[in-house]
Amino acid sequence: MQDIRKISFSDLVKFLENHNEPAFRAKQIYEWIWKKHVFSFDQMSNISKKLREHLQKHFYFNVTHVSQNLTSQDGTVKFIFRLYDGKKVEGVLIPTQKRITACISSQVGCSLDCSFCATGRMKLLRNLESSEIIDQVVHIQQKSLELYQRPITNIVFMGMGEPLLNYSNVIRAYVHLTDPKEMGLSTRRLTISTAGIAKGIKRLADDNIKAKLALSLHAPTDEKRIKIMSIHAQNNLKVLHEALQYYYSRMKQYVTYEYLLLKDFNDTLEDAKALVKWCRKIPCKVNLIEYNNTGTFTGSNPEQIKIFEQYLLQHDIPTSIRKSRGQDINAACGQLIIQDKSIILKE
Ligand code: SAH
């Protein structure tokens, strides 16, 4: 028995040939799986009963369920998904006037331990399958249509986990989500956010992945960044610079730097100056992020955030302040952590 959603299209064609079925059946089955997102063979109404029974004998579906959802005062909805093996991850639906964003997870827990992020306290339990990544989008989409009568417009890999450390499954999901014959989302409406895995950044360029790239920079110097992100030891600014240059030379796409403003740590004019210097290296945009409380730091005050933003703008760096959403239900960036006995915390 095999997970049907791990089978490539060509393997499905081969399987059908072996069962004396015409190749066009593969297209129909693929459509049921990746466009209509059914979770059982019984629902494939244009497939003969005999073939459905054959399929059932050889394949199964690993189904992702919504275990719980919580709605914030600002309309943000947090989902807790239960995976086929009982493990849990979170995803978030973020509605604004212009767009509806699905924030999704790439791993169960995280192997990194960025000191400002709640997910970093969980151990990495496993990578998500590409089908589990897509299931999150499908559930969030359903909710969006139900609550707001609008489909998702954007997807961001900013939930739990480090997407570039689950590269193959993330890219497989990206391909399904953007395939015009399936979900058909435009490639630039997907954002892959990384804590800074230089090798992964280069690989995105080698594979010509057109999704937007966001780098969680958070500090403009090696001395400061290493204090809050241990991943920085292998991916320091020099290494990241080289990877970003490689990325830009091939993709010609700007990069977004996410910059969390922490009081008296990285929010002074001196920091802003260092950030401007870094930003001159390749075309980019900066998203200033308000710190969502995870118990470890104090966020910069709104006046300081404004001053920081103004400095960047005066130096011609496209900058915006990202408002925090869903804080009251712990759905905001960095606040995702499963709060039950299924999780294992780092020592
Ligand atoms: N591992 C990836 C994606 C997940 S985190 C990455 O690091 O980019 C998504 C974003 O939320 C990142 O920019 C992360 O740095 C940010 N984040 C983490 N903790 C936060 C907090 N407490 N407040 C605000 N943003 C936070």
Side-chain angles (χ1 to χ4, degrees):
M1 291 280 272
Q2 263 181 303
D3 179 351
I4 184 84
R5 297 196 288 175
K6 279 198 198 162
I7 303 288
S8 69
F9 186 73
S10 55
D11 284 345
L12 189 59
V13 171
K14 262 187 234 144
F15 171 86
L16 292 166
E17 273 170 6
N18 292 341
H19 287 79
N20 299 318
E21 291 282 349
F24 75 85
R25 288 270 178 247
K27 231 176 111 191
Q28 289 177 318
I29 296 168
Y30 229 61
E31 215 169 75
W32 282 111
I33 299 174
W34 297 113
K35 188 164 183 180
K36 299 181 190 151
H37 306 288
V38 299
F39 284 147
S40 84
F41 298 108
D42 288 339
Q43 289 169 276
M44 301 183 179
S45 52
N46 57 358
I47 309 285
S48 73
K49 189 151 187 275
K50 194 169 134 245
L51 176 54
R52 277 189 268 148
E53 280 167 5
H54 262 314
L55 289 167
Q56 205 125 32
K57 262 187 231 148
H58 291 87
F59 302 108
Y60 57 83
F61 282 90
N62 277 337
V63 182
T64 307
H65 296 278
V66 176
S67 143
Q68 201 187 346
N69 58 47
L70 296 161
T71 307
S72 154
Q73 285 166 357
D74 66 18
T76 300
V77 184
K78 175 160 93 168
F79 295 74
I80 300 176
F81 297 108
R82 195 179 64 251
L83 308 170
Y84 70 92
D85 59 355
K87 295 188 171 57
K88 290 179 181 165
V89 291
E90 297 185 340
V92 188
L93 162 67
I94 310 160
T96 64
Q97 256 179 358
K98 276 207 243 143
R99 54 176 91 139
I100 297 208
T101 303
C103 172
I104 55 174
S105 295
S106 56
Q107 298 181 307
V108 186
C110 191
S111 61
L112 310 183
D113 55 1
C114 307
S115 56
F116 44 81
C117 177
T119 311
R121 286 181 219 144
M122 292 172 66
K123 271 198 174 159
L124 173 70
L125 296 184
R126 68 171 172 85
N127 281 333
L128 290 183
E129 304 287 351
S130 56
S131 56
E132 293 171 323
I133 293 171
I134 290 168
D135 287 348
Q136 298 174 65
V137 176
V138 172
H139 283 299
I140 296 176
Q141 173 86 302
Q142 273 171 6
K143 195 72 178 175
S144 175
L145 293 171
E146 184 190 313
L147 289 181
Y148 303 110
Q149 293 76 50
R150 283 151 62 199
I152 291 169
T153 56
N154 295 70
I155 297 177
V156 295
F157 279 92
M158 294 190 188
M160 297 177 154
E162 168 51 48
L164 296 186
L165 293 180
N166 182 16
Y167 187 90
S168 315
N169 292 343
V170 165
I171 296 309
R172 239 175 256 142
Y174 160 86
V175 170
H176 283 299
L177 292 167
T178 54
D179 187 331
K181 295 193 292 300
E182 299 177 28
M183 272 198 134
L185 209 80
S186 132
T187 52
R188 300 293 289 159
R189 289 184 175 272
L190 244 125
T191 300
I192 297 178
S193 177
T194 178
I197 311 295
K199 275 193 191 137
I201 294 173
K202 285 185 175 169
R203 207 167 154 195
L204 288 173
D206 288 337
D207 294 343
N208 194 26
I209 303 301
K210 297 209 166 67
K212 282 191 181 166
L213 175 64
L215 170 68
S216 297
L217 186 69
H218 302 324
T221 60
D222 284 320
E223 298 75 46
K224 288 202 177 176
R225 200 164 184 266
I226 191 70
K227 284 192 183 144
I228 51 173
M229 300 173 81
S230 61
I231 184 74
H232 191 74
Q234 305 88 45
N235 296 270
N236 62 31
L237 290 182
K238 185 163 173 280
V239 173
L240 286 175
H241 176 208
E242 197 238 325
L244 291 168
Q245 233 167 8
Y246 182 91
Y247 177 86
Y248 186 76
S249 68
R250 280 159 183 77
M251 303 300 293
K252 299 280 180 271
Q253 294 185 169
Y254 72 87
V255 176
T256 302
Y257 298 129
E258 319 223 41
Y259 195 95
L260 186 60
L261 281 157
L262 303 170
K263 189 170 163 41
D264 301 331
F265 176 72
N266 63 359
D267 66 349
T268 64
L269 277 185
E270 202 183 314
D271 297 306
K273 207 167 160 189
L275 181 56
V276 167
K277 194 168 163 219
W278 168 261
C279 286
R280 298 259 183 257
K281 293 178 188 289
I282 62 157
C284 67
K285 234 178 86 178
V286 173
N287 266 347
L288 298 176
I289 310 180
E290 294 173 9
Y291 171 65
N292 298 310
N293 195 5
T294 54
T296 37
F297 288 92
T298 308
S300 308
N301 58 42
E303 298 81 58
Q304 191 59 27
I305 295 180
K306 264 274 165 257
I307 293 171
F308 203 91
E309 180 197 27
Q310 284 310 313
Y311 186 91
L312 295 184
L313 289 172
Q314 279 157 13
H315 290 80
D316 300 321
I317 309 294
T319 306
S320 49
I321 299 177
R322 201 168 74 200
K323 283 259 163 283
S324 169
R325 303 287 305 263
Q327 273 213 48
D328 54 334
I329 53 166
N330 282 344
C333 280
Q335 291 188 319
L336 303 183
I337 182 166
I338 299 286
Q339 306 276 10
D340 72 14
K341 56 184 183 315
S342 71
I343 72 153
I344 306 176
L345 293 177
K346 292 185 181 119
E347 302 280 297

